[in-house]
Amino acid sequence: MRNDSGSSDSFYLTFYFLKDGDVIDDVTCNTSYLDAGSTDYDPTCIGAISDIGDFDEIRVSEGL
């Protein structure tokens, strides 16, 4: 994940995997504290995106 803001912060993103409009699974990822313009190439994620199948839509939410 990349911090494109002008200030340093940590970030939380939740990916919601949907099938026919219903959430079938979610994965939450967070970064370490990132300086402005920095990238975390290995964020910590709870859940494995590779284990999720048969979805037709992904929605993303920022924050907890």
Side-chain angles (χ1 to χ4, degrees):
M1 290 192 274
R2 181 169 172 78
N3 179 3
D4 285 332
S5 74
S7 60
S8 299
D9 208 343
S10 56
F11 296 89
Y12 296 87
L13 294 176
T14 301
F15 299 87
Y16 296 96
F17 296 84
L18 295 89
K19 176 70 175 180
D20 299 325
D22 296 319
V23 175
I24 58 171
D25 211 339
D26 63 80
V27 175
T28 300
C29 300
N30 66 293
T31 67
S32 56
Y33 200 74
L34 295 176
D35 290 329
S38 295
T39 300
D40 184 347
Y41 291 101
D42 191 24
T44 301
C45 295
I46 299 171
I49 294 173
S50 61
D51 292 343
I52 303 170
D54 198 31
F55 58 89
D56 58 13
E57 182 179 355
I58 300 173
R59 295 184 186 179
V60 180
S61 164
E62 185 177 1
L64 292 175

Short mmCIF file of all heavy atoms in Angstrom, two decimals:
data_model
loop_
_atom_site.label_atom_id
_atom_site.label_comp_id
_atom_site.label_asym_id
_atom_site.label_seq_id
_atom_site.Cartn_x
_atom_site.Cartn_y
_atom_site.Cartn_z
N MET A 1 0.85 -1.15 0.00
CA MET A 1 0.00 0.00 0.00
C MET A 1 0.91 1.23 0.00
O MET A 1 1.99 1.20 0.57
CB MET A 1 -0.90 -0.02 1.22
CG MET A 1 -1.95 -1.13 1.14
SD MET A 1 -3.25 -1.02 2.37
CE MET A 1 -2.49 -1.87 3.73
N ARG A 2 0.43 2.29 -0.63
CA ARG A 2 1.25 3.50 -0.78
C ARG A 2 0.56 4.69 -0.09
O ARG A 2 -0.64 4.87 -0.20
CB ARG A 2 1.44 3.82 -2.26
CG ARG A 2 2.29 5.04 -2.49
CD ARG A 2 2.68 5.16 -3.96
NE ARG A 2 3.34 6.41 -4.22
CZ ARG A 2 4.60 6.68 -3.93
NH1 ARG A 2 5.35 5.78 -3.35
NH2 ARG A 2 5.13 7.85 -4.22
N ASN A 3 1.39 5.47 0.59
CA ASN A 3 0.91 6.69 1.23
C ASN A 3 1.12 7.85 0.28
O ASN A 3 2.21 8.39 0.17
CB ASN A 3 1.66 6.92 2.55
CG ASN A 3 1.20 8.19 3.24
OD1 ASN A 3 0.30 8.86 2.77
ND2 ASN A 3 1.82 8.51 4.35
N ASP A 4 0.07 8.23 -0.44
CA ASP A 4 0.15 9.35 -1.38
C ASP A 4 -0.25 10.67 -0.74
O ASP A 4 -0.33 11.68 -1.42
CB ASP A 4 -0.74 9.09 -2.60
CG ASP A 4 -0.14 8.07 -3.54
OD1 ASP A 4 1.10 7.96 -3.58
OD2 ASP A 4 -0.90 7.37 -4.22
N SER A 5 -0.51 10.64 0.57
CA SER A 5 -0.88 11.89 1.24
C SER A 5 0.37 12.72 1.53
O SER A 5 1.49 12.28 1.30
CB SER A 5 -1.62 11.58 2.54
OG SER A 5 -0.72 11.12 3.53
N GLY A 6 0.18 13.88 2.06
CA GLY A 6 1.29 14.77 2.38
C GLY A 6 1.80 14.62 3.79
O GLY A 6 2.69 15.37 4.21
N SER A 7 1.26 13.66 4.55
CA SER A 7 1.70 13.48 5.93
C SER A 7 1.92 12.00 6.22
O SER A 7 1.46 11.13 5.50
CB SER A 7 0.65 14.05 6.90
OG SER A 7 -0.58 13.39 6.72
N SER A 8 2.63 11.72 7.30
CA SER A 8 2.93 10.35 7.69
C SER A 8 1.76 9.75 8.47
O SER A 8 1.11 10.45 9.25
CB SER A 8 4.19 10.32 8.55
OG SER A 8 5.28 10.82 7.82
N ASP A 9 1.51 8.46 8.24
CA ASP A 9 0.39 7.81 8.92
C ASP A 9 0.47 6.31 8.68
O ASP A 9 1.25 5.84 7.85
CB ASP A 9 -0.94 8.34 8.38
CG ASP A 9 -2.07 8.25 9.39
OD1 ASP A 9 -1.94 7.50 10.38
OD2 ASP A 9 -3.07 8.94 9.19
N SER A 10 -0.33 5.54 9.40
CA SER A 10 -0.50 4.12 9.10
C SER A 10 -1.88 3.96 8.48
O SER A 10 -2.75 4.82 8.63
CB SER A 10 -0.36 3.26 10.36
OG SER A 10 -1.27 3.68 11.34
N PHE A 11 -2.11 2.84 7.76
CA PHE A 11 -3.33 2.70 6.99
C PHE A 11 -3.95 1.33 7.20
O PHE A 11 -3.25 0.33 7.39
CB PHE A 11 -3.05 2.91 5.49
CG PHE A 11 -2.58 4.30 5.20
CD1 PHE A 11 -1.23 4.62 5.24
CD2 PHE A 11 -3.49 5.30 4.93
CE1 PHE A 11 -0.80 5.90 5.01
CE2 PHE A 11 -3.06 6.59 4.69
CZ PHE A 11 -1.72 6.89 4.73
N TYR A 12 -5.27 1.30 7.16
CA TYR A 12 -6.06 0.07 7.26
C TYR A 12 -7.01 0.02 6.07
O TYR A 12 -7.72 0.99 5.82
CB TYR A 12 -6.88 0.04 8.55
CG TYR A 12 -6.03 0.01 9.79
CD1 TYR A 12 -5.56 1.18 10.36
CD2 TYR A 12 -5.70 -1.20 10.39
CE1 TYR A 12 -4.78 1.15 11.50
CE2 TYR A 12 -4.92 -1.24 11.53
CZ TYR A 12 -4.46 -0.06 12.08
OH TYR A 12 -3.67 -0.09 13.20
N LEU A 13 -7.00 -1.08 5.36
CA LEU A 13 -7.93 -1.28 4.25
C LEU A 13 -8.63 -2.61 4.44
O LEU A 13 -8.00 -3.60 4.81
CB LEU A 13 -7.21 -1.31 2.90
CG LEU A 13 -6.54 -0.03 2.44
CD1 LEU A 13 -5.79 -0.28 1.13
CD2 LEU A 13 -7.57 1.07 2.23
N THR A 14 -9.93 -2.64 4.19
CA THR A 14 -10.68 -3.89 4.21
C THR A 14 -11.21 -4.14 2.82
O THR A 14 -11.84 -3.26 2.22
CB THR A 14 -11.83 -3.85 5.23
OG1 THR A 14 -11.28 -3.60 6.52
CG2 THR A 14 -12.57 -5.19 5.26
N PHE A 15 -10.92 -5.32 2.29
CA PHE A 15 -11.39 -5.75 0.98
C PHE A 15 -12.58 -6.68 1.20
O PHE A 15 -12.45 -7.69 1.89
CB PHE A 15 -10.28 -6.49 0.22
CG PHE A 15 -9.07 -5.64 -0.02
CD1 PHE A 15 -8.06 -5.56 0.93
CD2 PHE A 15 -8.94 -4.94 -1.20
CE1 PHE A 15 -6.94 -4.78 0.71
CE2 PHE A 15 -7.81 -4.15 -1.43
CZ PHE A 15 -6.81 -4.07 -0.47
N TYR A 16 -13.71 -6.32 0.63
CA TYR A 16 -14.93 -7.13 0.75
C TYR A 16 -15.16 -7.85 -0.57
O TYR A 16 -15.23 -7.22 -1.62
CB TYR A 16 -16.14 -6.26 1.08
CG TYR A 16 -16.03 -5.58 2.41
CD1 TYR A 16 -15.57 -4.28 2.50
CD2 TYR A 16 -16.38 -6.25 3.57
CE1 TYR A 16 -15.46 -3.65 3.74
CE2 TYR A 16 -16.27 -5.63 4.81
CZ TYR A 16 -15.81 -4.33 4.88
OH TYR A 16 -15.69 -3.72 6.10
N PHE A 17 -15.28 -9.16 -0.52
CA PHE A 17 -15.50 -9.99 -1.70
C PHE A 17 -16.97 -10.37 -1.75
O PHE A 17 -17.49 -10.94 -0.80
CB PHE A 17 -14.60 -11.22 -1.66
CG PHE A 17 -13.15 -10.85 -1.70
CD1 PHE A 17 -12.47 -10.50 -0.53
CD2 PHE A 17 -12.47 -10.81 -2.90
CE1 PHE A 17 -11.14 -10.14 -0.57
CE2 PHE A 17 -11.13 -10.44 -2.95
CZ PHE A 17 -10.47 -10.10 -1.78
N LEU A 18 -17.63 -10.04 -2.86
CA LEU A 18 -19.07 -10.24 -2.99
C LEU A 18 -19.40 -11.20 -4.13
O LEU A 18 -18.68 -11.27 -5.12
CB LEU A 18 -19.76 -8.91 -3.26
CG LEU A 18 -19.71 -7.87 -2.15
CD1 LEU A 18 -18.49 -7.01 -2.26
CD2 LEU A 18 -20.95 -7.04 -2.17
N LYS A 19 -20.49 -11.90 -3.96
CA LYS A 19 -21.07 -12.74 -5.00
C LYS A 19 -22.56 -12.43 -5.04
O LYS A 19 -23.25 -12.56 -4.02
CB LYS A 19 -20.84 -14.22 -4.69
CG LYS A 19 -21.49 -15.18 -5.65
CD LYS A 19 -20.80 -15.13 -7.00
CE LYS A 19 -21.40 -16.20 -7.92
NZ LYS A 19 -20.78 -16.19 -9.21
N ASP A 20 -23.04 -11.97 -6.17
CA ASP A 20 -24.45 -11.60 -6.35
C ASP A 20 -24.92 -10.59 -5.31
O ASP A 20 -26.04 -10.66 -4.80
CB ASP A 20 -25.34 -12.85 -6.31
CG ASP A 20 -25.01 -13.83 -7.42
OD1 ASP A 20 -24.65 -13.37 -8.52
OD2 ASP A 20 -25.09 -15.05 -7.18
N GLY A 21 -24.04 -9.66 -4.94
CA GLY A 21 -24.39 -8.59 -4.00
C GLY A 21 -24.23 -8.92 -2.54
O GLY A 21 -24.41 -8.06 -1.69
N ASP A 22 -23.87 -10.17 -2.20
CA ASP A 22 -23.68 -10.57 -0.81
C ASP A 22 -22.20 -10.73 -0.50
O ASP A 22 -21.45 -11.32 -1.29
CB ASP A 22 -24.38 -11.92 -0.53
CG ASP A 22 -25.88 -11.83 -0.69
OD1 ASP A 22 -26.47 -10.81 -0.25
OD2 ASP A 22 -26.47 -12.77 -1.26
N VAL A 23 -21.77 -10.22 0.66
CA VAL A 23 -20.39 -10.39 1.09
C VAL A 23 -20.15 -11.85 1.45
O VAL A 23 -20.86 -12.41 2.28
CB VAL A 23 -20.06 -9.48 2.30
CG1 VAL A 23 -18.65 -9.75 2.81
CG2 VAL A 23 -20.23 -8.01 1.93
N ILE A 24 -19.16 -12.46 0.79
CA ILE A 24 -18.85 -13.86 1.08
C ILE A 24 -17.58 -13.99 1.91
O ILE A 24 -17.37 -15.02 2.53
CB ILE A 24 -18.74 -14.71 -0.21
CG1 ILE A 24 -17.67 -14.14 -1.14
CG2 ILE A 24 -20.08 -14.81 -0.89
CD1 ILE A 24 -17.35 -15.05 -2.33
N ASP A 25 -16.75 -12.94 1.93
CA ASP A 25 -15.53 -12.97 2.74
C ASP A 25 -14.93 -11.57 2.77
O ASP A 25 -15.30 -10.72 1.96
CB ASP A 25 -14.51 -13.95 2.15
CG ASP A 25 -13.63 -14.59 3.22
OD1 ASP A 25 -13.52 -14.01 4.33
OD2 ASP A 25 -13.08 -15.67 2.95
N ASP A 26 -14.02 -11.34 3.70
CA ASP A 26 -13.31 -10.07 3.74
C ASP A 26 -11.89 -10.30 4.22
O ASP A 26 -11.60 -11.28 4.89
CB ASP A 26 -14.03 -9.05 4.62
CG ASP A 26 -14.12 -9.48 6.06
OD1 ASP A 26 -13.13 -9.33 6.79
OD2 ASP A 26 -15.20 -9.98 6.46
N VAL A 27 -11.02 -9.38 3.82
CA VAL A 27 -9.61 -9.42 4.22
C VAL A 27 -9.24 -8.00 4.65
O VAL A 27 -9.48 -7.05 3.91
CB VAL A 27 -8.70 -9.88 3.07
CG1 VAL A 27 -7.24 -9.78 3.46
CG2 VAL A 27 -9.05 -11.30 2.64
N THR A 28 -8.66 -7.87 5.84
CA THR A 28 -8.23 -6.56 6.34
C THR A 28 -6.71 -6.50 6.34
O THR A 28 -6.05 -7.42 6.83
CB THR A 28 -8.76 -6.31 7.76
OG1 THR A 28 -10.20 -6.36 7.72
CG2 THR A 28 -8.31 -4.96 8.29
N CYS A 29 -6.17 -5.43 5.77
CA CYS A 29 -4.72 -5.24 5.71
C CYS A 29 -4.35 -3.91 6.36
O CYS A 29 -5.11 -2.95 6.29
CB CYS A 29 -4.24 -5.23 4.26
SG CYS A 29 -4.57 -6.75 3.35
N ASN A 30 -3.19 -3.88 7.00
CA ASN A 30 -2.71 -2.63 7.57
C ASN A 30 -1.22 -2.49 7.30
O ASN A 30 -0.52 -3.46 7.05
CB ASN A 30 -3.01 -2.53 9.07
CG ASN A 30 -2.26 -3.55 9.88
OD1 ASN A 30 -2.51 -4.74 9.78
ND2 ASN A 30 -1.31 -3.09 10.69
N THR A 31 -0.78 -1.26 7.32
CA THR A 31 0.63 -0.95 7.08
C THR A 31 1.31 -0.55 8.37
O THR A 31 0.66 -0.23 9.36
CB THR A 31 0.78 0.22 6.10
OG1 THR A 31 0.29 1.41 6.73
CG2 THR A 31 0.03 -0.01 4.81
N SER A 32 2.62 -0.55 8.30
CA SER A 32 3.40 0.08 9.36
C SER A 32 3.23 1.59 9.17
O SER A 32 2.55 2.05 8.26
CB SER A 32 4.86 -0.33 9.24
OG SER A 32 5.35 -0.01 7.95
N TYR A 33 3.84 2.37 10.02
CA TYR A 33 3.78 3.82 9.90
C TYR A 33 4.56 4.24 8.66
O TYR A 33 5.74 3.93 8.54
CB TYR A 33 4.37 4.46 11.16
CG TYR A 33 3.94 5.87 11.39
CD1 TYR A 33 2.66 6.17 11.83
CD2 TYR A 33 4.82 6.91 11.17
CE1 TYR A 33 2.26 7.47 12.04
CE2 TYR A 33 4.43 8.22 11.38
CZ TYR A 33 3.15 8.48 11.82
OH TYR A 33 2.76 9.77 12.03
N LEU A 34 3.89 4.89 7.72
CA LEU A 34 4.52 5.26 6.45
C LEU A 34 4.71 6.77 6.36
O LEU A 34 3.80 7.54 6.62
CB LEU A 34 3.65 4.83 5.28
CG LEU A 34 3.44 3.33 5.06
CD1 LEU A 34 2.47 3.10 3.90
CD2 LEU A 34 4.75 2.65 4.80
N ASP A 35 5.91 7.16 5.97
CA ASP A 35 6.15 8.56 5.66
C ASP A 35 5.44 8.92 4.36
O ASP A 35 5.12 8.05 3.55
CB ASP A 35 7.65 8.83 5.50
CG ASP A 35 8.40 8.73 6.83
OD1 ASP A 35 7.80 9.03 7.87
OD2 ASP A 35 9.58 8.33 6.80
N ALA A 36 5.19 10.19 4.15
CA ALA A 36 4.54 10.64 2.92
C ALA A 36 5.32 10.15 1.71
O ALA A 36 6.55 10.24 1.67
CB ALA A 36 4.45 12.16 2.91
N GLY A 37 4.62 9.54 0.75
CA GLY A 37 5.26 9.04 -0.46
C GLY A 37 5.86 7.65 -0.34
O GLY A 37 6.34 7.11 -1.33
N SER A 38 5.83 7.06 0.84
CA SER A 38 6.41 5.72 1.05
C SER A 38 5.42 4.62 0.69
O SER A 38 4.21 4.83 0.68
CB SER A 38 6.84 5.54 2.50
OG SER A 38 7.87 6.42 2.82
N THR A 39 5.96 3.43 0.42
CA THR A 39 5.16 2.27 0.06
C THR A 39 5.50 1.10 0.97
O THR A 39 6.67 0.86 1.25
CB THR A 39 5.41 1.85 -1.41
OG1 THR A 39 5.08 2.95 -2.26
CG2 THR A 39 4.59 0.65 -1.80
N ASP A 40 4.48 0.39 1.42
CA ASP A 40 4.66 -0.85 2.18
C ASP A 40 4.34 -1.99 1.21
O ASP A 40 3.18 -2.21 0.86
CB ASP A 40 3.73 -0.89 3.39
CG ASP A 40 3.93 -2.12 4.26
OD1 ASP A 40 4.60 -3.07 3.83
OD2 ASP A 40 3.41 -2.11 5.39
N TYR A 41 5.36 -2.70 0.76
CA TYR A 41 5.18 -3.77 -0.22
C TYR A 41 4.72 -5.08 0.42
O TYR A 41 4.39 -6.02 -0.29
CB TYR A 41 6.47 -3.99 -1.01
CG TYR A 41 6.78 -2.85 -1.94
CD1 TYR A 41 7.74 -1.90 -1.60
CD2 TYR A 41 6.11 -2.71 -3.14
CE1 TYR A 41 8.02 -0.84 -2.44
CE2 TYR A 41 6.38 -1.65 -4.00
CZ TYR A 41 7.35 -0.72 -3.64
OH TYR A 41 7.61 0.34 -4.47
N ASP A 42 4.72 -5.14 1.73
CA ASP A 42 4.33 -6.37 2.43
C ASP A 42 3.44 -6.02 3.63
O ASP A 42 3.83 -6.21 4.78
CB ASP A 42 5.58 -7.12 2.88
CG ASP A 42 5.27 -8.51 3.38
OD1 ASP A 42 4.23 -9.08 3.00
OD2 ASP A 42 6.08 -9.04 4.17
N PRO A 43 2.23 -5.49 3.37
CA PRO A 43 1.34 -5.14 4.49
C PRO A 43 0.90 -6.40 5.24
O PRO A 43 0.92 -7.50 4.69
CB PRO A 43 0.16 -4.46 3.81
CG PRO A 43 0.14 -5.01 2.43
CD PRO A 43 1.57 -5.28 2.08
N THR A 44 0.51 -6.23 6.47
CA THR A 44 -0.01 -7.32 7.28
C THR A 44 -1.49 -7.49 6.97
O THR A 44 -2.25 -6.53 7.04
CB THR A 44 0.17 -7.01 8.78
OG1 THR A 44 1.56 -6.82 9.04
CG2 THR A 44 -0.37 -8.13 9.64
N CYS A 45 -1.89 -8.71 6.60
CA CYS A 45 -3.28 -8.97 6.24
C CYS A 45 -3.84 -10.10 7.09
O CYS A 45 -3.15 -11.09 7.35
CB CYS A 45 -3.41 -9.34 4.77
SG CYS A 45 -2.95 -8.00 3.65
N ILE A 46 -5.09 -9.93 7.52
CA ILE A 46 -5.82 -10.97 8.23
C ILE A 46 -6.74 -11.62 7.21
O ILE A 46 -7.68 -11.00 6.72
CB ILE A 46 -6.62 -10.40 9.41
CG1 ILE A 46 -5.67 -9.73 10.39
CG2 ILE A 46 -7.45 -11.49 10.09
CD1 ILE A 46 -6.36 -8.95 11.48
N GLY A 47 -6.45 -12.86 6.87
CA GLY A 47 -7.16 -13.56 5.82
C GLY A 47 -6.27 -13.64 4.59
O GLY A 47 -5.29 -12.91 4.47
N ALA A 48 -6.60 -14.55 3.71
CA ALA A 48 -5.79 -14.75 2.50
C ALA A 48 -6.65 -14.55 1.27
O ALA A 48 -7.61 -15.28 1.05
CB ALA A 48 -5.18 -16.14 2.51
N ILE A 49 -6.29 -13.56 0.48
CA ILE A 49 -7.05 -13.27 -0.73
C ILE A 49 -6.99 -14.45 -1.69
O ILE A 49 -7.96 -14.77 -2.36
CB ILE A 49 -6.53 -11.98 -1.40
CG1 ILE A 49 -6.82 -10.78 -0.49
CG2 ILE A 49 -7.14 -11.78 -2.77
CD1 ILE A 49 -6.22 -9.48 -0.95
N SER A 50 -5.87 -15.15 -1.71
CA SER A 50 -5.72 -16.28 -2.65
C SER A 50 -6.66 -17.43 -2.32
O SER A 50 -6.93 -18.28 -3.18
CB SER A 50 -4.28 -16.77 -2.65
OG SER A 50 -3.92 -17.22 -1.36
N ASP A 51 -7.19 -17.49 -1.09
CA ASP A 51 -8.11 -18.57 -0.69
C ASP A 51 -9.57 -18.27 -1.05
O ASP A 51 -10.43 -19.11 -0.85
CB ASP A 51 -8.03 -18.81 0.83
CG ASP A 51 -6.71 -19.40 1.25
OD1 ASP A 51 -5.98 -19.92 0.38
OD2 ASP A 51 -6.40 -19.34 2.44
N ILE A 52 -9.85 -17.08 -1.55
CA ILE A 52 -11.22 -16.68 -1.83
C ILE A 52 -11.52 -16.92 -3.31
O ILE A 52 -10.78 -16.47 -4.18
CB ILE A 52 -11.45 -15.20 -1.48
CG1 ILE A 52 -11.12 -14.96 -0.01
CG2 ILE A 52 -12.89 -14.79 -1.78
CD1 ILE A 52 -11.07 -13.50 0.38
N GLY A 53 -12.57 -17.63 -3.58
CA GLY A 53 -12.95 -17.90 -4.97
C GLY A 53 -14.41 -17.60 -5.20
O GLY A 53 -15.17 -17.33 -4.28
N ASP A 54 -14.79 -17.62 -6.47
CA ASP A 54 -16.17 -17.46 -6.88
C ASP A 54 -16.80 -16.14 -6.42
O ASP A 54 -17.91 -16.10 -5.92
CB ASP A 54 -17.02 -18.64 -6.39
CG ASP A 54 -18.33 -18.76 -7.15
OD1 ASP A 54 -18.35 -18.37 -8.34
OD2 ASP A 54 -19.33 -19.21 -6.57
N PHE A 55 -16.06 -15.05 -6.56
CA PHE A 55 -16.62 -13.73 -6.28
C PHE A 55 -16.76 -12.97 -7.59
O PHE A 55 -16.08 -13.27 -8.57
CB PHE A 55 -15.76 -12.95 -5.27
CG PHE A 55 -14.33 -12.75 -5.69
CD1 PHE A 55 -13.96 -11.65 -6.43
CD2 PHE A 55 -13.35 -13.68 -5.35
CE1 PHE A 55 -12.65 -11.47 -6.83
CE2 PHE A 55 -12.04 -13.51 -5.73
CZ PHE A 55 -11.68 -12.40 -6.48
N ASP A 56 -17.66 -12.00 -7.60
CA ASP A 56 -17.85 -11.22 -8.83
C ASP A 56 -17.68 -9.72 -8.63
O ASP A 56 -17.86 -8.94 -9.54
CB ASP A 56 -19.21 -11.52 -9.47
CG ASP A 56 -20.39 -11.24 -8.56
OD1 ASP A 56 -20.21 -10.56 -7.51
OD2 ASP A 56 -21.50 -11.71 -8.86
N GLU A 57 -17.31 -9.33 -7.41
CA GLU A 57 -17.12 -7.90 -7.11
C GLU A 57 -16.23 -7.79 -5.87
O GLU A 57 -16.27 -8.61 -4.97
CB GLU A 57 -18.47 -7.26 -6.83
CG GLU A 57 -18.43 -5.78 -6.55
CD GLU A 57 -19.80 -5.18 -6.30
OE1 GLU A 57 -20.82 -5.88 -6.42
OE2 GLU A 57 -19.84 -3.98 -5.96
N ILE A 58 -15.39 -6.73 -5.87
CA ILE A 58 -14.57 -6.41 -4.70
C ILE A 58 -14.83 -4.96 -4.34
O ILE A 58 -14.79 -4.08 -5.20
CB ILE A 58 -13.06 -6.58 -4.98
CG1 ILE A 58 -12.75 -8.02 -5.38
CG2 ILE A 58 -12.24 -6.21 -3.74
CD1 ILE A 58 -11.31 -8.22 -5.84
N ARG A 59 -15.12 -4.71 -3.07
CA ARG A 59 -15.26 -3.34 -2.56
C ARG A 59 -14.18 -3.12 -1.51
O ARG A 59 -13.79 -4.03 -0.81
CB ARG A 59 -16.63 -3.12 -1.94
CG ARG A 59 -17.75 -3.22 -2.94
CD ARG A 59 -19.08 -2.92 -2.33
NE ARG A 59 -20.15 -3.16 -3.31
CZ ARG A 59 -21.42 -3.01 -3.03
NH1 ARG A 59 -21.80 -2.60 -1.83
NH2 ARG A 59 -22.31 -3.26 -3.96
N VAL A 60 -13.70 -1.87 -1.42
CA VAL A 60 -12.63 -1.54 -0.50
C VAL A 60 -13.08 -0.42 0.42
O VAL A 60 -13.70 0.56 -0.02
CB VAL A 60 -11.35 -1.10 -1.26
CG1 VAL A 60 -10.24 -0.75 -0.29
CG2 VAL A 60 -10.90 -2.18 -2.22
N SER A 61 -12.77 -0.58 1.70
CA SER A 61 -13.09 0.43 2.71
C SER A 61 -11.80 0.83 3.41
O SER A 61 -10.99 -0.03 3.75
CB SER A 61 -14.09 -0.17 3.70
OG SER A 61 -14.17 0.59 4.86
N GLU A 62 -11.61 2.13 3.65
CA GLU A 62 -10.43 2.59 4.37
C GLU A 62 -10.80 2.88 5.80
O GLU A 62 -11.86 3.43 6.08
CB GLU A 62 -9.87 3.85 3.72
CG GLU A 62 -8.57 4.31 4.36
CD GLU A 62 -7.95 5.52 3.67
OE1 GLU A 62 -8.53 6.03 2.71
OE2 GLU A 62 -6.89 5.95 4.15
N GLY A 63 -9.93 2.49 6.72
CA GLY A 63 -10.15 2.72 8.14
C GLY A 63 -10.66 1.48 8.82
O GLY A 63 -10.83 0.44 8.21
N LEU A 64 -10.88 1.60 10.12
CA LEU A 64 -11.36 0.45 10.89
C LEU A 64 -12.85 0.46 11.00
O LEU A 64 -13.51 1.44 10.94
CB LEU A 64 -10.74 0.45 12.29
CG LEU A 64 -9.26 0.20 12.32
CD1 LEU A 64 -8.73 0.34 13.73
CD2 LEU A 64 -8.92 -1.17 11.78
#
